[in-house]
Amino acid sequence: MSLKIRLTRGGAKKRPYYRIVVADARSPRDGRFIEKIGAYDPMKAKDSPERVVLDLEKAKSWIAKGAQPTDRVLRFLDAAGVLKRPARSNPEKAVPGEKAKERAEKRAEKSAAPAAAAPAEAAAPAEEAAEA
């Protein structure tokens, strides 16, 4: 039986409240769980100590038994100093798509056209002034 330390959603519509539970990986998100080990209230301020309440001793014991935390719970455990969350890097995500590249090229062409015409116009009045 593979175990997960994960969030189960509670609370009203648009007022989420999550319990941090240990559950079988096959059970539904808000379904049956083995033990509740904490709570997470995203509506509280980020620096509030009541935002994440977690029993670290229970979490450590379940991890020792083989329970795998989900990404969000791993963030909480990393902040508490229980586990280390590996750094993620996706450089492909920052690369613009095809449409964005096309728009950038058109924008560059438009800005280059008036810039090229401006020096020619500036030179023409100077020549007229020199002739007079």
Side-chain angles (χ1 to χ4, degrees):
M1 175 167 80
S2 74
L3 298 173
K4 289 278 189 187
I5 302 176
R6 65 181 179 202
L7 301 175
T8 62
R9 192 178 194 281
K13 180 179 176 184
K14 301 197 181 199
R15 303 280 302 166
Y17 183 83
Y18 298 93
R19 291 184 300 180
I20 302 170
V21 299
V22 177
D24 183 5
R26 298 170 295 182
S27 65
R29 179 193 73 178
D30 299 336
R32 190 172 60 188
F33 61 90
I34 299 168
E35 184 178 13
K36 179 185 172 201
I37 62 172
Y40 168 56
D41 189 356
M43 301 301 287
K44 300 223 185 231
K46 290 193 183 225
D47 57 350
S48 173
E50 296 93 34
R51 184 176 169 102
V52 178
V53 178
L54 188 59
D55 188 344
L56 297 177
E57 295 304 316
K58 287 183 182 179
K60 287 178 188 175
S61 68
W62 279 108
I63 290 168
K65 293 175 188 173
Q68 295 294 315
T70 59
D71 291 338
R72 179 58 54 178
V73 175
L74 189 57
R75 281 177 179 259
F76 301 150
L77 294 172
D78 186 30
V82 175
L83 284 178
K84 185 71 179 146
R85 183 173 157 258
R88 292 184 176 183
S89 176
N90 186 0
E92 295 295 318
K93 188 173 183 178
V95 176
E98 291 179 24
K99 291 277 190 179
K101 288 179 184 176
E102 290 173 12
R103 286 192 296 267
E105 288 174 8
K106 287 181 182 177
R107 206 175 308 124
E109 289 173 8
K110 285 183 180 178
S111 65
E121 292 173 6
E127 290 173 5
E128 292 174 8
E131 292 174 6

Short mmCIF file of all heavy atoms in Angstrom, two decimals, residues 60 63 68-71 73-88:
data_model
loop_
_atom_site.label_atom_id
_atom_site.label_comp_id
_atom_site.label_asym_id
_atom_site.label_seq_id
_atom_site.Cartn_x
_atom_site.Cartn_y
_atom_site.Cartn_z
N LYS A 60 7.28 13.07 10.44
CA LYS A 60 8.56 12.36 10.36
C LYS A 60 8.35 10.85 10.47
O LYS A 60 8.98 10.08 9.74
CB LYS A 60 9.49 12.83 11.48
CG LYS A 60 10.07 14.20 11.27
CD LYS A 60 10.93 14.60 12.45
CE LYS A 60 11.37 16.03 12.37
NZ LYS A 60 12.12 16.46 13.58
N ILE A 63 6.88 9.53 7.21
CA ILE A 63 7.89 9.54 6.15
C ILE A 63 8.85 8.37 6.35
O ILE A 63 9.26 7.71 5.40
CB ILE A 63 8.63 10.89 6.11
CG1 ILE A 63 7.66 11.97 5.61
CG2 ILE A 63 9.87 10.82 5.25
CD1 ILE A 63 8.16 13.37 5.78
N GLN A 68 4.93 9.27 0.98
CA GLN A 68 5.50 10.27 0.08
C GLN A 68 4.67 11.54 0.13
O GLN A 68 3.47 11.50 -0.14
CB GLN A 68 5.50 9.75 -1.36
CG GLN A 68 6.41 8.56 -1.57
CD GLN A 68 7.86 8.92 -1.38
OE1 GLN A 68 8.32 9.94 -1.88
NE2 GLN A 68 8.58 8.10 -0.64
N PRO A 69 5.27 12.69 0.47
CA PRO A 69 4.50 13.94 0.47
C PRO A 69 4.26 14.44 -0.94
O PRO A 69 5.09 14.25 -1.84
CB PRO A 69 5.38 14.90 1.26
CG PRO A 69 6.76 14.36 1.13
CD PRO A 69 6.62 12.87 0.96
N THR A 70 3.12 15.11 -1.14
CA THR A 70 2.85 15.75 -2.43
C THR A 70 3.67 17.03 -2.51
O THR A 70 4.31 17.44 -1.53
CB THR A 70 1.35 16.07 -2.57
OG1 THR A 70 0.96 16.92 -1.51
CG2 THR A 70 0.52 14.80 -2.57
N ASP A 71 3.65 17.69 -3.67
CA ASP A 71 4.46 18.88 -3.87
C ASP A 71 4.16 19.97 -2.84
O ASP A 71 5.07 20.58 -2.27
CB ASP A 71 4.25 19.45 -5.27
CG ASP A 71 4.83 18.55 -6.34
OD1 ASP A 71 5.71 17.74 -6.01
OD2 ASP A 71 4.40 18.67 -7.50
N VAL A 73 2.69 19.74 0.14
CA VAL A 73 3.06 19.33 1.50
C VAL A 73 4.59 19.33 1.64
O VAL A 73 5.12 19.69 2.70
CB VAL A 73 2.46 17.96 1.84
CG1 VAL A 73 2.94 17.45 3.19
CG2 VAL A 73 0.93 18.03 1.83
N LEU A 74 5.28 18.99 0.58
CA LEU A 74 6.75 19.02 0.61
C LEU A 74 7.25 20.44 0.84
O LEU A 74 8.24 20.65 1.53
CB LEU A 74 7.32 18.42 -0.67
CG LEU A 74 8.82 18.20 -0.70
CD1 LEU A 74 9.27 17.30 0.43
CD2 LEU A 74 9.23 17.59 -2.03
N ARG A 75 6.54 21.44 0.28
CA ARG A 75 6.90 22.84 0.55
C ARG A 75 6.77 23.15 2.04
O ARG A 75 7.63 23.82 2.62
CB ARG A 75 5.97 23.77 -0.22
CG ARG A 75 6.30 23.93 -1.66
CD ARG A 75 5.26 24.82 -2.32
NE ARG A 75 5.56 25.01 -3.71
CZ ARG A 75 6.15 26.09 -4.21
NH1 ARG A 75 6.48 27.09 -3.44
NH2 ARG A 75 6.40 26.17 -5.50
N PHE A 76 5.69 22.68 2.65
CA PHE A 76 5.49 22.92 4.09
C PHE A 76 6.59 22.24 4.91
O PHE A 76 7.12 22.83 5.86
CB PHE A 76 4.13 22.40 4.55
CG PHE A 76 2.95 23.02 3.83
CD1 PHE A 76 1.79 22.30 3.66
CD2 PHE A 76 3.00 24.31 3.34
CE1 PHE A 76 0.69 22.85 3.02
CE2 PHE A 76 1.91 24.88 2.69
CZ PHE A 76 0.76 24.14 2.53
N LEU A 77 6.92 21.00 4.55
CA LEU A 77 7.94 20.27 5.29
C LEU A 77 9.32 20.89 5.09
O LEU A 77 10.14 20.90 6.01
CB LEU A 77 7.95 18.80 4.86
CG LEU A 77 6.68 18.01 5.21
CD1 LEU A 77 6.73 16.65 4.55
CD2 LEU A 77 6.52 17.89 6.71
N ASP A 78 9.58 21.42 3.91
CA ASP A 78 10.84 22.11 3.66
C ASP A 78 10.93 23.38 4.49
O ASP A 78 11.99 23.69 5.05
CB ASP A 78 10.96 22.43 2.16
CG ASP A 78 12.31 23.03 1.81
OD1 ASP A 78 13.31 22.69 2.48
OD2 ASP A 78 12.38 23.83 0.86
N ALA A 79 9.84 24.13 4.58
CA ALA A 79 9.84 25.35 5.39
C ALA A 79 10.04 25.04 6.86
O ALA A 79 10.65 25.81 7.59
CB ALA A 79 8.53 26.10 5.19
N ALA A 80 9.54 23.87 7.30
CA ALA A 80 9.70 23.47 8.69
C ALA A 80 11.07 22.84 8.95
O ALA A 80 11.45 22.64 10.10
CB ALA A 80 8.60 22.48 9.07
N GLY A 81 11.80 22.49 7.89
CA GLY A 81 13.12 21.92 8.05
C GLY A 81 13.14 20.41 8.19
O GLY A 81 14.14 19.83 8.57
N VAL A 82 12.03 19.74 7.85
CA VAL A 82 11.96 18.28 7.98
C VAL A 82 12.58 17.61 6.76
O VAL A 82 13.41 16.70 6.89
CB VAL A 82 10.50 17.82 8.15
CG1 VAL A 82 10.40 16.31 8.18
CG2 VAL A 82 9.93 18.41 9.43
N LEU A 83 12.19 18.03 5.57
CA LEU A 83 12.71 17.48 4.32
C LEU A 83 13.28 18.59 3.46
O LEU A 83 12.91 19.76 3.64
CB LEU A 83 11.61 16.78 3.52
CG LEU A 83 11.15 15.41 3.98
CD1 LEU A 83 10.03 14.90 3.09
CD2 LEU A 83 12.30 14.42 3.95
N LYS A 84 14.12 18.24 2.51
CA LYS A 84 14.67 19.21 1.58
C LYS A 84 13.94 19.06 0.25
O LYS A 84 13.87 17.98 -0.31
CB LYS A 84 16.17 18.98 1.41
CG LYS A 84 16.84 20.01 0.56
CD LYS A 84 16.91 21.34 1.28
CE LYS A 84 17.61 22.35 0.39
NZ LYS A 84 17.10 23.68 0.53
N ARG A 85 13.40 20.16 -0.24
CA ARG A 85 12.69 20.16 -1.52
C ARG A 85 13.69 20.47 -2.63
O ARG A 85 14.35 21.51 -2.58
CB ARG A 85 11.59 21.21 -1.49
CG ARG A 85 10.74 21.26 -2.71
CD ARG A 85 9.58 22.23 -2.48
NE ARG A 85 9.10 22.69 -3.75
CZ ARG A 85 9.37 23.87 -4.28
NH1 ARG A 85 10.13 24.72 -3.65
NH2 ARG A 85 8.89 24.21 -5.44
N PRO A 86 13.84 19.59 -3.63
CA PRO A 86 14.81 19.87 -4.69
C PRO A 86 14.38 21.06 -5.53
O PRO A 86 13.19 21.27 -5.78
CB PRO A 86 14.83 18.58 -5.51
CG PRO A 86 13.53 17.92 -5.22
CD PRO A 86 13.15 18.32 -3.82
N ALA A 87 15.35 21.83 -5.96
CA ALA A 87 15.07 23.00 -6.80
C ALA A 87 14.63 22.52 -8.17
O ALA A 87 15.15 21.54 -8.71
CB ALA A 87 16.31 23.86 -6.92
N ARG A 88 13.66 23.24 -8.73
CA ARG A 88 13.17 22.89 -10.05
C ARG A 88 13.54 23.99 -11.03
O ARG A 88 13.54 25.16 -10.69
CB ARG A 88 11.65 22.75 -10.03
CG ARG A 88 11.19 21.57 -9.22
CD ARG A 88 9.71 21.42 -9.33
NE ARG A 88 9.28 20.23 -8.64
CZ ARG A 88 8.04 19.82 -8.63
NH1 ARG A 88 7.11 20.51 -9.24
NH2 ARG A 88 7.71 18.74 -7.99
#
